[in-house]
Amino acid sequence: QASAQACCWPENVDRRPPPLHRNCALLCCARSTRTMQARAVQVFLTTADGARLFEPMPNWHWMREKDLQHDEDRDEAEHAEEARLVKLFLDPEVQFQTIEGFGATLTDSSAFLMSRMAPIERRALLIRLFGPRSRGGIQLNLLRLPIGATDNSVSYQMGKITYDDVDRDFGLHNFSTSADDAYYIPLLREILEVSPE
């Protein structure tokens, strides 16, 4: 087995994604193993206009690098077919960092809007984001939580900017997270119900 691998997408498949622009995102998921050339890479497409949301695309497939090399035994059609492949080279022997997971930021405004959804619709959305694949989820497992007000907050009134908006309260005697009690913390609890890990 060659150490270098290639993930190839044939351009002539029926449902290939459009060229990637700033208005869409392509998510590829694969497990790194020594038998990865036998595994498919799951591909999902999302566009900014919402017309395509986590839409499954045809799988990519791993091949050994030596299987992509040109040789004299191949005819012009085979060379042309290889030229239509998009090649992503990966050397599984070279490691850069460990991936702990994938996630997003839960802003105050996002939590507010989700809190106004019908409970059944909100639960369906949370399952889609944090739930297991068996339930149609994409298994986000990391969440960044802003502390206090940000540029995506619903309110900038005193008492909602920081957890202690009292001037010169260096002892934090007025520290309180109560501003998050209305919808932010309840939504976090609901997310933990969907994904306890």
Side-chain angles (χ1 to χ4, degrees), residues 7 9 17 20 25-31 40-46 55 57-62 88 99 102:
C7 176
W9 182 287
L20 292 183
L26 193 64
L27 174 65
C28 301
C29 305
R31 178 176 297 176
V41 180
Q42 294 176 290
V43 181
F44 302 88
L45 179 69
T46 294
E55 180 179 333
M57 304 302 291
N59 288 341
W60 290 8
H61 298 278
W62 295 109
L88 172 68
I99 297 176
F102 296 90

Side-chain angles (χ1 to χ4, degrees), residues 135-148:
R135 300 180 67 186
I138 61 171
Q139 295 180 292
L140 296 180
N141 65 336
L142 298 174
L143 200 57
R144 187 177 70 161
L145 307 176
I147 297 176

Side-chain angles (χ1 to χ4, degrees), residues 42 44 124 126-140 194-197:
Q42 294 176 290
F44 302 88
L126 296 180
I127 290 173
R128 192 74 183 271
L129 293 172
F130 302 100
R133 285 189 300 174
S134 61
R135 300 180 67 186
I138 61 171
Q139 295 180 292
L140 296 180
V194 172
S195 179
E197 297 81 19

Side-chain angles (χ1 to χ4, degrees), residues 44-92:
F44 302 88
L45 179 69
T46 294
T47 57
D49 61 7
R52 305 170 86 170
L53 298 173
F54 306 117
E55 180 179 333
M57 304 302 291
N59 288 341
W60 290 8
H61 298 278
W62 295 109
M63 294 181 178
R64 293 178 300 178
E65 183 180 18
K66 68 179 184 178
D67 293 335
L68 297 174
Q69 301 300 321
H70 294 285
D71 58 57
E72 297 179 357
D73 296 331
R74 295 189 179 187
D75 58 25
E76 288 187 15
E78 289 176 312
H79 285 296
E81 177 65 23
E82 181 179 313
R84 286 194 294 269
L85 297 177
V86 176
K87 303 179 183 74
L88 172 68
F89 292 96
L90 173 69
D91 186 345

Side-chain angles (χ1 to χ4, degrees), residues 94-156:
V94 178
Q95 298 183 2
F96 295 96
Q97 66 273 331
T98 300
I99 297 176
E100 297 292 340
F102 296 90
T105 297
L106 181 63
T107 64
D108 180 63
S109 56
S110 296
F112 174 76
L113 291 173
M114 283 190 270
S115 73
R116 296 173 66 90
M117 297 173 69
I120 191 169
E121 294 177 350
R122 181 173 59 251
R123 179 55 66 102
L125 173 62
L126 296 180
I127 290 173
R128 192 74 183 271
L129 293 172
F130 302 100
R133 285 189 300 174
S134 61
R135 300 180 67 186
I138 61 171
Q139 295 180 292
L140 296 180
N141 65 336
L142 298 174
L143 200 57
R144 187 177 70 161
L145 307 176
I147 297 176
T150 71
D151 53 350
N152 292 303
S153 293
V154 173
S155 173
Y156 299 100

